[in-house]
C-alpha cells in the first residue's frame, strides 16, 4: 500500500474511533449535538415530554414500604404489623406503598406548625375522603410535576406552557410582565425568569385546597413557591422547589429531584380521563338506585354500602 493509501486508512479509523467515543460520552445541556441542548435564543431547550421517576407522589418524606394508603390494626398493635383496610385489601400487593428515601432536603422533615401537623395526620387517616387526586381535582403545583404521569413542555420566548396527563391540567409560565390573576386557583399563577441556565419560577395565588402527595401533606392559600429548573444533561434536569407558607409551616423548606425527558421516538402525553373514571366515586352515593353494590371474586366478596353525608357535611366533602 502506498503512503497516501495508508494515510487515508489511518484517517478513516481515527474518525470512526472518534465517533464512537463521542457517542459514548453523554452530552451536557450546553452541547447542541443532540439537537436538544439549546433553543434558538441560546437558553436550555426544555421542549419535550418529561416525567419524574421516584416515589414523591406517595409521600414527600422518607418512608418505609407499607401495605396500603389505608390500613387497620393487624394481629399485633404495632405500626409495622398493620394490614390493608377493607377498601384496598382486594388489590393485594398492587395496593402497597413503595419505600422511599424522600425528596425533602436538609433534615428531611416538613416544618409544620402544631395546628397544621394535626391536620396533616387527619388527612392521612382520611385519605379516601380527602385527597383531591381521588376526585380528579386539578393536582396543583408542585404535585403535578412528580405524579406518575408524563407532561409536556412547550417553550417560547415569553411564555412556557406545560400540559399534564392527569385531569387535563395545564399551566402557563409568564416570562414577561403580566397582570395578576382575577382569582386564586389550584394551579396557581406562575411568573418566570432566567438566571443563567436555570429557569426560576415564582408560583402564587393558590386556593389553599392542594395536597403535595398521597400522605396528606398540604399547604394553604398563602403558599409561595420558588421553582428552579436546572439542566443536568440535554435529557435530564434538576427540579428544586422552595415552599414558604406562614399559615402552615414555621420556616421555608425545599424538595429536590431529577426530571427525565422521555426518549421514545413517538413520546407524547395521552389523555388520562380521570374525570370520567372518578364519576362513580364522586356521585355514586347520590344515585336513586345504587349502581355499584357488590363485587365477587374467587376468594372474596366485597359489599359496598354508599352513604350521603348529612347537611353541610355533603358540601364540605366536595369542597376539600
Amino acid at each position: 500500500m502506498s503512503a497516501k493509501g495508508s494515510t487515508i486508512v489511518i484517517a478513516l479509523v481515527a474518525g470512526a474511533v472518534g465517533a464512537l467515543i463521542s457517542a459514548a460520552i453523554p452530552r451536557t445541556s450546553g452541547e447542541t449535538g443532540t439537537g436538544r441542548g439549546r433553543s434558538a435564543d441560546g437558553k436550555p431547550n426544555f421542549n419535550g415530554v418529561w416525567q419524574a421517576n421516584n416515589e414523591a407522589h406517595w409521600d414527600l418524606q422518607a418512608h418505609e414500604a407499607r401495605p396500603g394508603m389505608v390500613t387497620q390494626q393487624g394481629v399485633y398493635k404495632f405500626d409495622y404489623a398493620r394490614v390493608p383496610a377493607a377498601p384496598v385489601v382486594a388489590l393485594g400487593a398492587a395496593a402497597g406503598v413503595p419505600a422511599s428515601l424522600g425528596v425533602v432536603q436538609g433534615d428531611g422533615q416538613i416544618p409544620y406548625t402544631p395546628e397544621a401537623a394535626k391536620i396533616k395526620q387527619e388527612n392521612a387517616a382520611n385519605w379516601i375522603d380527602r385527597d383531591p387526586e381521588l376526585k380528579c381535582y386539578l393536582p396543583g403545583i408542585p404535585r403535578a410535576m412528580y405524579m406518575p404521569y408524563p407532561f409536556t413542555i412547550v417553550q417560547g420566548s415569553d411564555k412556557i406552557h406545560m400540559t399534564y396527563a392527569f385531569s387535563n391540567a395545564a399551566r402557563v409560565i409568564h416570562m414577561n410582565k403580566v397582570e395578576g390573576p382575577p382569582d386564586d386557583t389550584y394551579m396557581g399563577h406562575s411568573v418566570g425568569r432566567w438566571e443563567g441556565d436555570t429557569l426560576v419560577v415564582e408560583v402564587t395565588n393558590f386556593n389553599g385546597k392542594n395536597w403535595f402527595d398521597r400522605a396528606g401533606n398540604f399547604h394553604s392559600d398563602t403558599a409561595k413557591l420558588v421553582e428552579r429548573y436546572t439542566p443536568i444533561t440535554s435529557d435530564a434536569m434538576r427540579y428544586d422547589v422552595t415552599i414558604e407558607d406562614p399559615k402552615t409551616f414555621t420556616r421555608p423548606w425545599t424538595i429536590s429531584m431529577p426530571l427525565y425527558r422521555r426518549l421514545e421516538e413517538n413520546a407524547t402525553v395521552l389523555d388520562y380521563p380521570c374525570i370520567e373514571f372518578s364519576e362513580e366515586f364522586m356521585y355514586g352515593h347520590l344515585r336513586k338506585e345504587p349502581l355499584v353494590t357488590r363485587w365477587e371474586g374467587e376468594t372474596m366478596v366485597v359489599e359496598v354500602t354508599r352513604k350521603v353525608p348529612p347537611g353541610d357535611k355533603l358540601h364540605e366533602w366536595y369542597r376539600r
Side-chain angles (χ1 to χ4, degrees), residues 260-291:
Y260 303 96
R261 191 191 303 271
R262 294 283 294 265
L263 297 179
E264 301 94 322
E265 183 177 350
N266 58 347
T268 189
V269 174
L270 300 174
D271 185 29
Y272 181 71
C274 63
I275 294 176
E276 291 92 334
F277 296 163
S278 63
E279 181 176 307
E280 185 61 28
F281 172 75
M282 289 287 289
Y283 310 113
H285 60 304
L286 302 178
R287 295 181 187 275
K288 186 175 181 179
E289 294 293 333
L291 182 64

Side-chain angles (χ1 to χ4, degrees), residues 54-137:
N54 57 33
E55 302 78 30
H57 66 283
W58 290 100
D59 191 339
L60 293 180
Q61 294 180 274
H63 59 272
E64 60 186 3
R66 50 186 185 266
M69 290 303 303
V70 184
T71 60
Q72 64 186 48
Q73 182 180 310
V75 177
Y76 304 104
K77 296 181 180 180
F78 302 107
D79 286 344
Y80 70 82
R82 294 182 68 85
V83 298
V88 296
V89 70
L91 298 178
V97 178
S100 173
L101 296 176
V103 297
V104 179
Q105 301 302 288
D107 62 4
Q109 300 302 308
I110 298 177
Y112 283 108
T113 65
E115 297 79 10
K118 293 178 181 178
I119 296 174
K120 188 271 179 183
Q121 293 301 320
E122 292 173 0
N123 286 345
N126 296 276
W127 173 64
I128 288 178
D129 282 323
R130 292 193 180 185
D131 189 348
E133 180 191 0
L134 274 66
K135 302 173 184 179
C136 192
Y137 291 168

Side-chain angles (χ1 to χ4, degrees), residues 167-203:
S167 193
N168 295 317
R171 69 190 290 210
V172 174
I173 299 173
H174 302 280
M175 304 299 291
N176 55 349
K177 187 175 182 179
V178 296
E179 292 185 4
D183 199 1
D184 297 337
T185 64
Y186 278 98
M187 302 300 288
H189 178 64
S190 299
V191 178
R193 65 182 184 275
W194 289 100
E195 292 184 359
D197 279 353
T198 297
L199 172 64
V200 180
V201 182
E202 295 187 6
V203 193

Side-chain angles (χ1 to χ4, degrees), residues 11-27:
L12 290 173
V13 171
V17 171
L20 289 172
I21 294 174
S22 177
I25 299 175
R27 295 183 182 272

